[in-house]
Amino acid sequence: MNAPLVLTSLRIAAIPVLVIVLLSDFRGKELLSFIIFFMATLTDMLDGFWARRKRQMTVLGQLLDPTADKLLIASALICLVEIGTVPAWMAVIIIGREIAVSGFRALASSKGVNIPASVLGKIKMILETFTIYILLLGEKILGPLFILSRVGLWLVVLAAVVSAAEYSWRFGRAVISSRT
């Protein structure tokens, strides 16, 4: 168990804590949920950086890291749907895209085709993270700036759909025509 795996494990451990805080009703839950989510996303940046810099990349880490990312985002979005902050249809598109692209990558990998993260996919992730930051802080803390969460959600949905289409367009033929 190296340091990057510990950071990834901390991110996974933060997920149920975030869910409990988001679905509870107490004064300050917005700020606490923001801090938990922020710290979890910080571990995402640090674990990859550390693994590459110290040459501590492992197969387990390469599997757990993106899984932890998707679980964190999906958990936050599902909770935000439950508390009425995010429309369910938007969460379904965003989470559905993650599942579809993960499945497509797994299929491609089984056929020897490597699908790296695209620039648009990275932009989607950044938009997604910052939009969730805004949603977690909420209207009570942000006031009129909370409108940025609506703009962010629309941009995330658009980026999710376009980036999924981009993966399909760029790699679909190679995946379908590859044999194993």
Side-chain angles (χ1 to χ4, degrees), residues 76-116:
L77 285 171
I78 291 167
C79 289
L80 290 166
V81 167
E82 173 66 22
I83 62 178
T85 308
V86 171
W89 69 269
M90 288 181 145
V92 167
I93 289 172
I94 296 165
I95 295 167
R97 180 262 184 213
E98 296 303 326
I99 294 168
V101 168
S102 293
F104 185 66
R105 277 195 168 124
L107 176 64
S109 180
S110 74
K111 295 183 172 208
V113 178
N114 180 40
I115 301 178

PDB file of all heavy atoms in Angstrom, residues 76-116:
ATOM      1  N   ALA A  76     -22.360  12.434  -4.981  1.00  0.00           N
ATOM      2  CA  ALA A  76     -22.719  13.841  -4.762  1.00  0.00           C
ATOM      3  C   ALA A  76     -23.954  14.214  -5.586  1.00  0.00           C
ATOM      4  O   ALA A  76     -24.898  14.833  -5.062  1.00  0.00           O
ATOM      5  CB  ALA A  76     -21.542  14.746  -5.109  1.00  0.00           C
ATOM      6  N   LEU A  77     -23.962  13.827  -6.860  1.00  0.00           N
ATOM      7  CA  LEU A  77     -25.097  14.176  -7.718  1.00  0.00           C
ATOM      8  C   LEU A  77     -26.395  13.530  -7.236  1.00  0.00           C
ATOM      9  O   LEU A  77     -27.446  14.191  -7.209  1.00  0.00           O
ATOM     10  CB  LEU A  77     -24.815  13.775  -9.166  1.00  0.00           C
ATOM     11  CG  LEU A  77     -23.834  14.659  -9.922  1.00  0.00           C
ATOM     12  CD1 LEU A  77     -23.478  14.039 -11.264  1.00  0.00           C
ATOM     13  CD2 LEU A  77     -24.394  16.065 -10.107  1.00  0.00           C
ATOM     14  N   ILE A  78     -26.339  12.259  -6.850  1.00  0.00           N
ATOM     15  CA  ILE A  78     -27.550  11.573  -6.381  1.00  0.00           C
ATOM     16  C   ILE A  78     -28.083  12.248  -5.125  1.00  0.00           C
ATOM     17  O   ILE A  78     -29.300  12.465  -4.992  1.00  0.00           O
ATOM     18  CB  ILE A  78     -27.275  10.072  -6.170  1.00  0.00           C
ATOM     19  CG1 ILE A  78     -27.059   9.388  -7.528  1.00  0.00           C
ATOM     20  CG2 ILE A  78     -28.421   9.405  -5.403  1.00  0.00           C
ATOM     21  CD1 ILE A  78     -26.480   7.985  -7.450  1.00  0.00           C
ATOM     22  N   CYS A  79     -27.205  12.613  -4.221  1.00  0.00           N
ATOM     23  CA  CYS A  79     -27.642  13.311  -3.009  1.00  0.00           C
ATOM     24  C   CYS A  79     -28.227  14.685  -3.349  1.00  0.00           C
ATOM     25  O   CYS A  79     -29.227  15.104  -2.756  1.00  0.00           O
ATOM     26  CB  CYS A  79     -26.488  13.465  -2.024  1.00  0.00           C
ATOM     27  SG  CYS A  79     -25.981  11.917  -1.258  1.00  0.00           S
ATOM     28  N   LEU A  80     -27.602  15.378  -4.301  1.00  0.00           N
ATOM     29  CA  LEU A  80     -28.118  16.690  -4.706  1.00  0.00           C
ATOM     30  C   LEU A  80     -29.471  16.582  -5.400  1.00  0.00           C
ATOM     31  O   LEU A  80     -30.301  17.494  -5.303  1.00  0.00           O
ATOM     32  CB  LEU A  80     -27.085  17.407  -5.581  1.00  0.00           C
ATOM     33  CG  LEU A  80     -25.830  17.865  -4.824  1.00  0.00           C
ATOM     34  CD1 LEU A  80     -24.716  18.250  -5.798  1.00  0.00           C
ATOM     35  CD2 LEU A  80     -26.155  19.016  -3.880  1.00  0.00           C
ATOM     36  N   VAL A  81     -29.728  15.463  -6.068  1.00  0.00           N
ATOM     37  CA  VAL A  81     -31.066  15.209  -6.617  1.00  0.00           C
ATOM     38  C   VAL A  81     -32.038  15.005  -5.470  1.00  0.00           C
ATOM     39  O   VAL A  81     -33.127  15.590  -5.445  1.00  0.00           O
ATOM     40  CB  VAL A  81     -31.068  13.975  -7.559  1.00  0.00           C
ATOM     41  CG1 VAL A  81     -32.495  13.520  -7.866  1.00  0.00           C
ATOM     42  CG2 VAL A  81     -30.323  14.286  -8.852  1.00  0.00           C
ATOM     43  N   GLU A  82     -31.650  14.187  -4.500  1.00  0.00           N
ATOM     44  CA  GLU A  82     -32.517  13.886  -3.354  1.00  0.00           C
ATOM     45  C   GLU A  82     -32.930  15.143  -2.595  1.00  0.00           C
ATOM     46  O   GLU A  82     -34.080  15.268  -2.178  1.00  0.00           O
ATOM     47  CB  GLU A  82     -31.807  12.907  -2.402  1.00  0.00           C
ATOM     48  CG  GLU A  82     -32.527  12.641  -1.110  1.00  0.00           C
ATOM     49  CD  GLU A  82     -33.861  11.920  -1.262  1.00  0.00           C
ATOM     50  OE1 GLU A  82     -34.080  11.251  -2.290  1.00  0.00           O
ATOM     51  OE2 GLU A  82     -34.689  12.028  -0.332  1.00  0.00           O
ATOM     52  N   ILE A  83     -32.011  16.088  -2.444  1.00  0.00           N
ATOM     53  CA  ILE A  83     -32.351  17.306  -1.695  1.00  0.00           C
ATOM     54  C   ILE A  83     -32.940  18.404  -2.584  1.00  0.00           C
ATOM     55  O   ILE A  83     -33.228  19.498  -2.121  1.00  0.00           O
ATOM     56  CB  ILE A  83     -31.145  17.833  -0.886  1.00  0.00           C
ATOM     57  CG1 ILE A  83     -29.972  18.223  -1.774  1.00  0.00           C
ATOM     58  CG2 ILE A  83     -30.725  16.823   0.158  1.00  0.00           C
ATOM     59  CD1 ILE A  83     -28.779  18.800  -1.019  1.00  0.00           C
ATOM     60  N   GLY A  84     -33.135  18.082  -3.867  1.00  0.00           N
ATOM     61  CA  GLY A  84     -33.840  18.998  -4.765  1.00  0.00           C
ATOM     62  C   GLY A  84     -32.981  20.072  -5.406  1.00  0.00           C
ATOM     63  O   GLY A  84     -33.515  21.045  -5.938  1.00  0.00           O
ATOM     64  N   THR A  85     -31.680  19.899  -5.398  1.00  0.00           N
ATOM     65  CA  THR A  85     -30.782  20.904  -5.959  1.00  0.00           C
ATOM     66  C   THR A  85     -30.446  20.652  -7.423  1.00  0.00           C
ATOM     67  O   THR A  85     -30.182  21.591  -8.167  1.00  0.00           O
ATOM     68  CB  THR A  85     -29.471  20.949  -5.129  1.00  0.00           C
ATOM     69  OG1 THR A  85     -29.820  21.099  -3.756  1.00  0.00           O
ATOM     70  CG2 THR A  85     -28.596  22.096  -5.523  1.00  0.00           C
ATOM     71  N   VAL A  86     -30.454  19.385  -7.830  1.00  0.00           N
ATOM     72  CA  VAL A  86     -30.126  19.014  -9.208  1.00  0.00           C
ATOM     73  C   VAL A  86     -31.308  18.259  -9.807  1.00  0.00           C
ATOM     74  O   VAL A  86     -31.831  17.337  -9.167  1.00  0.00           O
ATOM     75  CB  VAL A  86     -28.854  18.117  -9.244  1.00  0.00           C
ATOM     76  CG1 VAL A  86     -28.617  17.552 -10.636  1.00  0.00           C
ATOM     77  CG2 VAL A  86     -27.638  18.889  -8.772  1.00  0.00           C
ATOM     78  N   PRO A  87     -31.752  18.640 -11.008  1.00  0.00           N
ATOM     79  CA  PRO A  87     -32.801  17.868 -11.665  1.00  0.00           C
ATOM     80  C   PRO A  87     -32.325  16.437 -11.951  1.00  0.00           C
ATOM     81  O   PRO A  87     -31.188  16.232 -12.401  1.00  0.00           O
ATOM     82  CB  PRO A  87     -33.045  18.627 -12.978  1.00  0.00           C
ATOM     83  CG  PRO A  87     -32.500  20.000 -12.756  1.00  0.00           C
ATOM     84  CD  PRO A  87     -31.357  19.826 -11.787  1.00  0.00           C
ATOM     85  N   ALA A  88     -33.183  15.465 -11.695  1.00  0.00           N
ATOM     86  CA  ALA A  88     -32.813  14.055 -11.859  1.00  0.00           C
ATOM     87  C   ALA A  88     -32.349  13.748 -13.279  1.00  0.00           C
ATOM     88  O   ALA A  88     -31.387  13.001 -13.467  1.00  0.00           O
ATOM     89  CB  ALA A  88     -33.990  13.159 -11.469  1.00  0.00           C
ATOM     90  N   TRP A  89     -33.004  14.332 -14.287  1.00  0.00           N
ATOM     91  CA  TRP A  89     -32.641  14.008 -15.661  1.00  0.00           C
ATOM     92  C   TRP A  89     -31.209  14.429 -15.974  1.00  0.00           C
ATOM     93  O   TRP A  89     -30.513  13.755 -16.732  1.00  0.00           O
ATOM     94  CB  TRP A  89     -33.633  14.611 -16.656  1.00  0.00           C
ATOM     95  CG  TRP A  89     -33.611  16.107 -16.786  1.00  0.00           C
ATOM     96  CD1 TRP A  89     -34.351  17.011 -16.082  1.00  0.00           C
ATOM     97  CD2 TRP A  89     -32.800  16.871 -17.687  1.00  0.00           C
ATOM     98  NE1 TRP A  89     -34.041  18.292 -16.484  1.00  0.00           N
ATOM     99  CE2 TRP A  89     -33.102  18.234 -17.475  1.00  0.00           C
ATOM    100  CE3 TRP A  89     -31.855  16.536 -18.653  1.00  0.00           C
ATOM    101  CZ2 TRP A  89     -32.493  19.262 -18.176  1.00  0.00           C
ATOM    102  CZ3 TRP A  89     -31.239  17.564 -19.359  1.00  0.00           C
ATOM    103  CH2 TRP A  89     -31.572  18.909 -19.119  1.00  0.00           C
ATOM    104  N   MET A  90     -30.752  15.533 -15.369  1.00  0.00           N
ATOM    105  CA  MET A  90     -29.374  15.978 -15.595  1.00  0.00           C
ATOM    106  C   MET A  90     -28.394  14.994 -14.948  1.00  0.00           C
ATOM    107  O   MET A  90     -27.382  14.635 -15.552  1.00  0.00           O
ATOM    108  CB  MET A  90     -29.152  17.384 -15.049  1.00  0.00           C
ATOM    109  CG  MET A  90     -29.816  18.462 -15.870  1.00  0.00           C
ATOM    110  SD  MET A  90     -29.477  20.101 -15.169  1.00  0.00           S
ATOM    111  CE  MET A  90     -29.387  21.052 -16.681  1.00  0.00           C
ATOM    112  N   ALA A  91     -28.711  14.564 -13.737  1.00  0.00           N
ATOM    113  CA  ALA A  91     -27.848  13.595 -13.055  1.00  0.00           C
ATOM    114  C   ALA A  91     -27.790  12.287 -13.835  1.00  0.00           C
ATOM    115  O   ALA A  91     -26.718  11.681 -13.954  1.00  0.00           O
ATOM    116  CB  ALA A  91     -28.343  13.355 -11.633  1.00  0.00           C
ATOM    117  N   VAL A  92     -28.912  11.857 -14.387  1.00  0.00           N
ATOM    118  CA  VAL A  92     -28.946  10.612 -15.160  1.00  0.00           C
ATOM    119  C   VAL A  92     -28.042  10.726 -16.386  1.00  0.00           C
ATOM    120  O   VAL A  92     -27.277   9.800 -16.698  1.00  0.00           O
ATOM    121  CB  VAL A  92     -30.394  10.243 -15.565  1.00  0.00           C
ATOM    122  CG1 VAL A  92     -30.410   9.146 -16.612  1.00  0.00           C
ATOM    123  CG2 VAL A  92     -31.191   9.840 -14.338  1.00  0.00           C
ATOM    124  N   ILE A  93     -28.082  11.844 -17.077  1.00  0.00           N
ATOM    125  CA  ILE A  93     -27.224  12.030 -18.256  1.00  0.00           C
ATOM    126  C   ILE A  93     -25.753  12.026 -17.856  1.00  0.00           C
ATOM    127  O   ILE A  93     -24.931  11.355 -18.469  1.00  0.00           O
ATOM    128  CB  ILE A  93     -27.590  13.324 -19.012  1.00  0.00           C
ATOM    129  CG1 ILE A  93     -28.947  13.154 -19.701  1.00  0.00           C
ATOM    130  CG2 ILE A  93     -26.499  13.698 -20.030  1.00  0.00           C
ATOM    131  CD1 ILE A  93     -29.503  14.420 -20.317  1.00  0.00           C
ATOM    132  N   ILE A  94     -25.417  12.758 -16.800  1.00  0.00           N
ATOM    133  CA  ILE A  94     -24.020  12.867 -16.375  1.00  0.00           C
ATOM    134  C   ILE A  94     -23.491  11.508 -15.895  1.00  0.00           C
ATOM    135  O   ILE A  94     -22.423  11.059 -16.320  1.00  0.00           O
ATOM    136  CB  ILE A  94     -23.865  13.949 -15.286  1.00  0.00           C
ATOM    137  CG1 ILE A  94     -24.218  15.326 -15.857  1.00  0.00           C
ATOM    138  CG2 ILE A  94     -22.454  13.937 -14.702  1.00  0.00           C
ATOM    139  CD1 ILE A  94     -24.456  16.408 -14.800  1.00  0.00           C
ATOM    140  N   ILE A  95     -24.251  10.848 -15.029  1.00  0.00           N
ATOM    141  CA  ILE A  95     -23.818   9.546 -14.497  1.00  0.00           C
ATOM    142  C   ILE A  95     -23.861   8.488 -15.600  1.00  0.00           C
ATOM    143  O   ILE A  95     -22.962   7.649 -15.708  1.00  0.00           O
ATOM    144  CB  ILE A  95     -24.679   9.138 -13.285  1.00  0.00           C
ATOM    145  CG1 ILE A  95     -24.449  10.123 -12.133  1.00  0.00           C
ATOM    146  CG2 ILE A  95     -24.358   7.707 -12.844  1.00  0.00           C
ATOM    147  CD1 ILE A  95     -25.457  10.007 -10.997  1.00  0.00           C
ATOM    148  N   GLY A  96     -24.881   8.533 -16.431  1.00  0.00           N
ATOM    149  CA  GLY A  96     -24.993   7.590 -17.548  1.00  0.00           C
ATOM    150  C   GLY A  96     -23.814   7.696 -18.492  1.00  0.00           C
ATOM    151  O   GLY A  96     -23.294   6.683 -18.979  1.00  0.00           O
ATOM    152  N   ARG A  97     -23.361   8.894 -18.746  1.00  0.00           N
ATOM    153  CA  ARG A  97     -22.188   9.094 -19.603  1.00  0.00           C
ATOM    154  C   ARG A  97     -20.969   8.431 -18.983  1.00  0.00           C
ATOM    155  O   ARG A  97     -20.183   7.794 -19.669  1.00  0.00           O
ATOM    156  CB  ARG A  97     -21.956  10.590 -19.799  1.00  0.00           C
ATOM    157  CG  ARG A  97     -20.748  10.918 -20.681  1.00  0.00           C
ATOM    158  CD  ARG A  97     -19.539  11.242 -19.826  1.00  0.00           C
ATOM    159  NE  ARG A  97     -18.408  11.656 -20.635  1.00  0.00           N
ATOM    160  CZ  ARG A  97     -17.169  11.416 -20.322  1.00  0.00           C
ATOM    161  NH1 ARG A  97     -16.872  10.744 -19.240  1.00  0.00           N
ATOM    162  NH2 ARG A  97     -16.194  11.844 -21.078  1.00  0.00           N
ATOM    163  N   GLU A  98     -20.812   8.573 -17.680  1.00  0.00           N
ATOM    164  CA  GLU A  98     -19.658   7.970 -16.999  1.00  0.00           C
ATOM    165  C   GLU A  98     -19.681   6.446 -17.140  1.00  0.00           C
ATOM    166  O   GLU A  98     -18.651   5.822 -17.422  1.00  0.00           O
ATOM    167  CB  GLU A  98     -19.622   8.365 -15.518  1.00  0.00           C
ATOM    168  CG  GLU A  98     -19.421   9.838 -15.272  1.00  0.00           C
ATOM    169  CD  GLU A  98     -18.155  10.398 -15.900  1.00  0.00           C
ATOM    170  OE1 GLU A  98     -17.134   9.673 -15.972  1.00  0.00           O
ATOM    171  OE2 GLU A  98     -18.183  11.557 -16.338  1.00  0.00           O
ATOM    172  N   ILE A  99     -20.851   5.867 -16.945  1.00  0.00           N
ATOM    173  CA  ILE A  99     -20.983   4.407 -17.058  1.00  0.00           C
ATOM    174  C   ILE A  99     -20.727   3.962 -18.499  1.00  0.00           C
ATOM    175  O   ILE A  99     -19.991   3.001 -18.744  1.00  0.00           O
ATOM    176  CB  ILE A  99     -22.377   3.954 -16.571  1.00  0.00           C
ATOM    177  CG1 ILE A  99     -22.509   4.215 -15.069  1.00  0.00           C
ATOM    178  CG2 ILE A  99     -22.620   2.482 -16.895  1.00  0.00           C
ATOM    179  CD1 ILE A  99     -23.926   4.087 -14.531  1.00  0.00           C
ATOM    180  N   ALA A 100     -21.303   4.686 -19.457  1.00  0.00           N
ATOM    181  CA  ALA A 100     -21.142   4.319 -20.861  1.00  0.00           C
ATOM    182  C   ALA A 100     -19.683   4.422 -21.309  1.00  0.00           C
ATOM    183  O   ALA A 100     -19.152   3.515 -21.965  1.00  0.00           O
ATOM    184  CB  ALA A 100     -22.033   5.200 -21.745  1.00  0.00           C
ATOM    185  N   VAL A 101     -19.017   5.512 -20.952  1.00  0.00           N
ATOM    186  CA  VAL A 101     -17.626   5.684 -21.365  1.00  0.00           C
ATOM    187  C   VAL A 101     -16.731   4.661 -20.664  1.00  0.00           C
ATOM    188  O   VAL A 101     -15.822   4.105 -21.290  1.00  0.00           O
ATOM    189  CB  VAL A 101     -17.143   7.142 -21.120  1.00  0.00           C
ATOM    190  CG1 VAL A 101     -15.637   7.266 -21.276  1.00  0.00           C
ATOM    191  CG2 VAL A 101     -17.854   8.092 -22.075  1.00  0.00           C
ATOM    192  N   SER A 102     -17.006   4.361 -19.405  1.00  0.00           N
ATOM    193  CA  SER A 102     -16.221   3.335 -18.696  1.00  0.00           C
ATOM    194  C   SER A 102     -16.393   1.971 -19.365  1.00  0.00           C
ATOM    195  O   SER A 102     -15.415   1.236 -19.557  1.00  0.00           O
ATOM    196  CB  SER A 102     -16.638   3.244 -17.233  1.00  0.00           C
ATOM    197  OG  SER A 102     -16.287   4.419 -16.559  1.00  0.00           O
ATOM    198  N   GLY A 103     -17.621   1.645 -19.728  1.00  0.00           N
ATOM    199  CA  GLY A 103     -17.880   0.387 -20.424  1.00  0.00           C
ATOM    200  C   GLY A 103     -17.203   0.340 -21.781  1.00  0.00           C
ATOM    201  O   GLY A 103     -16.625  -0.680 -22.170  1.00  0.00           O
ATOM    202  N   PHE A 104     -17.251   1.445 -22.504  1.00  0.00           N
ATOM    203  CA  PHE A 104     -16.617   1.536 -23.814  1.00  0.00           C
ATOM    204  C   PHE A 104     -15.106   1.363 -23.689  1.00  0.00           C
ATOM    205  O   PHE A 104     -14.479   0.640 -24.469  1.00  0.00           O
ATOM    206  CB  PHE A 104     -16.971   2.884 -24.455  1.00  0.00           C
ATOM    207  CG  PHE A 104     -16.474   3.059 -25.860  1.00  0.00           C
ATOM    208  CD1 PHE A 104     -16.968   2.280 -26.891  1.00  0.00           C
ATOM    209  CD2 PHE A 104     -15.525   4.028 -26.150  1.00  0.00           C
ATOM    210  CE1 PHE A 104     -16.518   2.452 -28.196  1.00  0.00           C
ATOM    211  CE2 PHE A 104     -15.073   4.205 -27.451  1.00  0.00           C
ATOM    212  CZ  PHE A 104     -15.565   3.414 -28.474  1.00  0.00           C
ATOM    213  N   ARG A 105     -14.528   2.006 -22.657  1.00  0.00           N
ATOM    214  CA  ARG A 105     -13.079   1.864 -22.428  1.00  0.00           C
ATOM    215  C   ARG A 105     -12.715   0.428 -22.072  1.00  0.00           C
ATOM    216  O   ARG A 105     -11.683  -0.081 -22.510  1.00  0.00           O
ATOM    217  CB  ARG A 105     -12.637   2.794 -21.303  1.00  0.00           C
ATOM    218  CG  ARG A 105     -12.370   4.191 -21.738  1.00  0.00           C
ATOM    219  CD  ARG A 105     -11.606   4.914 -20.646  1.00  0.00           C
ATOM    220  NE  ARG A 105     -11.095   6.158 -21.150  1.00  0.00           N
ATOM    221  CZ  ARG A 105     -11.339   7.336 -20.610  1.00  0.00           C
ATOM    222  NH1 ARG A 105     -12.085   7.419 -19.534  1.00  0.00           N
ATOM    223  NH2 ARG A 105     -10.834   8.426 -21.125  1.00  0.00           N
ATOM    224  N   ALA A 106     -13.540  -0.222 -21.255  1.00  0.00           N
ATOM    225  CA  ALA A 106     -13.271  -1.619 -20.878  1.00  0.00           C
ATOM    226  C   ALA A 106     -13.332  -2.515 -22.109  1.00  0.00           C
ATOM    227  O   ALA A 106     -12.474  -3.391 -22.294  1.00  0.00           O
ATOM    228  CB  ALA A 106     -14.271  -2.087 -19.818  1.00  0.00           C
ATOM    229  N   LEU A 107     -14.334  -2.309 -22.958  1.00  0.00           N
ATOM    230  CA  LEU A 107     -14.444  -3.080 -24.197  1.00  0.00           C
ATOM    231  C   LEU A 107     -13.225  -2.836 -25.081  1.00  0.00           C
ATOM    232  O   LEU A 107     -12.628  -3.781 -25.609  1.00  0.00           O
ATOM    233  CB  LEU A 107     -15.737  -2.718 -24.941  1.00  0.00           C
ATOM    234  CG  LEU A 107     -15.937  -3.384 -26.303  1.00  0.00           C
ATOM    235  CD1 LEU A 107     -16.056  -4.904 -26.131  1.00  0.00           C
ATOM    236  CD2 LEU A 107     -17.173  -2.810 -26.977  1.00  0.00           C
ATOM    237  N   ALA A 108     -12.850  -1.574 -25.223  1.00  0.00           N
ATOM    238  CA  ALA A 108     -11.684  -1.233 -26.044  1.00  0.00           C
ATOM    239  C   ALA A 108     -10.434  -1.896 -25.490  1.00  0.00           C
ATOM    240  O   ALA A 108      -9.636  -2.469 -26.244  1.00  0.00           O
ATOM    241  CB  ALA A 108     -11.510   0.282 -26.094  1.00  0.00           C
ATOM    242  N   SER A 109     -10.258  -1.839 -24.188  1.00  0.00           N
ATOM    243  CA  SER A 109      -9.090  -2.437 -23.555  1.00  0.00           C
ATOM    244  C   SER A 109      -9.033  -3.944 -23.793  1.00  0.00           C
ATOM    245  O   SER A 109      -7.963  -4.500 -24.057  1.00  0.00           O
ATOM    246  CB  SER A 109      -9.103  -2.144 -22.062  1.00  0.00           C
ATOM    247  OG  SER A 109      -7.992  -2.720 -21.437  1.00  0.00           O
ATOM    248  N   SER A 110     -10.198  -4.584 -23.736  1.00  0.00           N
ATOM    249  CA  SER A 110     -10.232  -6.037 -23.967  1.00  0.00           C
ATOM    250  C   SER A 110      -9.843  -6.387 -25.402  1.00  0.00           C
ATOM    251  O   SER A 110      -9.474  -7.515 -25.686  1.00  0.00           O
ATOM    252  CB  SER A 110     -11.624  -6.599 -23.650  1.00  0.00           C
ATOM    253  OG  SER A 110     -12.549  -6.254 -24.667  1.00  0.00           O
ATOM    254  N   LYS A 111      -9.914  -5.402 -26.290  1.00  0.00           N
ATOM    255  CA  LYS A 111      -9.538  -5.615 -27.691  1.00  0.00           C
ATOM    256  C   LYS A 111      -8.192  -4.989 -28.022  1.00  0.00           C
ATOM    257  O   LYS A 111      -7.830  -4.851 -29.184  1.00  0.00           O
ATOM    258  CB  LYS A 111     -10.631  -5.051 -28.601  1.00  0.00           C
ATOM    259  CG  LYS A 111     -11.943  -5.794 -28.448  1.00  0.00           C
ATOM    260  CD  LYS A 111     -12.972  -5.256 -29.415  1.00  0.00           C
ATOM    261  CE  LYS A 111     -14.199  -6.153 -29.358  1.00  0.00           C
ATOM    262  NZ  LYS A 111     -14.917  -6.130 -30.620  1.00  0.00           N
ATOM    263  N   GLY A 112      -7.468  -4.581 -26.969  1.00  0.00           N
ATOM    264  CA  GLY A 112      -6.134  -4.023 -27.168  1.00  0.00           C
ATOM    265  C   GLY A 112      -6.105  -2.582 -27.618  1.00  0.00           C
ATOM    266  O   GLY A 112      -5.069  -2.095 -28.059  1.00  0.00           O
ATOM    267  N   VAL A 113      -7.227  -1.871 -27.503  1.00  0.00           N
ATOM    268  CA  VAL A 113      -7.286  -0.465 -27.903  1.00  0.00           C
ATOM    269  C   VAL A 113      -7.275   0.385 -26.640  1.00  0.00           C
ATOM    270  O   VAL A 113      -8.123   0.223 -25.763  1.00  0.00           O
ATOM    271  CB  VAL A 113      -8.564  -0.162 -28.730  1.00  0.00           C
ATOM    272  CG1 VAL A 113      -8.639   1.317 -29.084  1.00  0.00           C
ATOM    273  CG2 VAL A 113      -8.601  -1.026 -29.983  1.00  0.00           C
ATOM    274  N   ASN A 114      -6.300   1.287 -26.533  1.00  0.00           N
ATOM    275  CA  ASN A 114      -6.198   2.177 -25.385  1.00  0.00           C
ATOM    276  C   ASN A 114      -6.906   3.493 -25.705  1.00  0.00           C
ATOM    277  O   ASN A 114      -6.649   4.092 -26.737  1.00  0.00           O
ATOM    278  CB  ASN A 114      -4.727   2.438 -25.041  1.00  0.00           C
ATOM    279  CG  ASN A 114      -4.593   3.356 -23.845  1.00  0.00           C
ATOM    280  OD1 ASN A 114      -5.331   3.245 -22.878  1.00  0.00           O
ATOM    281  ND2 ASN A 114      -3.644   4.260 -23.925  1.00  0.00           N
ATOM    282  N   ILE A 115      -7.791   3.918 -24.823  1.00  0.00           N
ATOM    283  CA  ILE A 115      -8.507   5.176 -25.020  1.00  0.00           C
ATOM    284  C   ILE A 115      -8.090   6.137 -23.911  1.00  0.00           C
ATOM    285  O   ILE A 115      -8.569   6.032 -22.783  1.00  0.00           O
ATOM    286  CB  ILE A 115     -10.038   4.978 -25.012  1.00  0.00           C
ATOM    287  CG1 ILE A 115     -10.441   4.009 -26.120  1.00  0.00           C
ATOM    288  CG2 ILE A 115     -10.749   6.314 -25.159  1.00  0.00           C
ATOM    289  CD1 ILE A 115     -11.923   3.711 -26.172  1.00  0.00           C
ATOM    290  N   PRO A 116      -7.209   7.071 -24.230  1.00  0.00           N
ATOM    291  CA  PRO A 116      -6.790   8.047 -23.218  1.00  0.00           C
ATOM    292  C   PRO A 116      -7.888   9.086 -22.998  1.00  0.00           C
ATOM    293  O   PRO A 116      -8.772   9.263 -23.838  1.00  0.00           O
ATOM    294  CB  PRO A 116      -5.547   8.693 -23.837  1.00  0.00           C
ATOM    295  CG  PRO A 116      -5.765   8.555 -25.314  1.00  0.00           C
ATOM    296  CD  PRO A 116      -6.530   7.271 -25.508  1.00  0.00           C
TER     297      PRO A 116
END
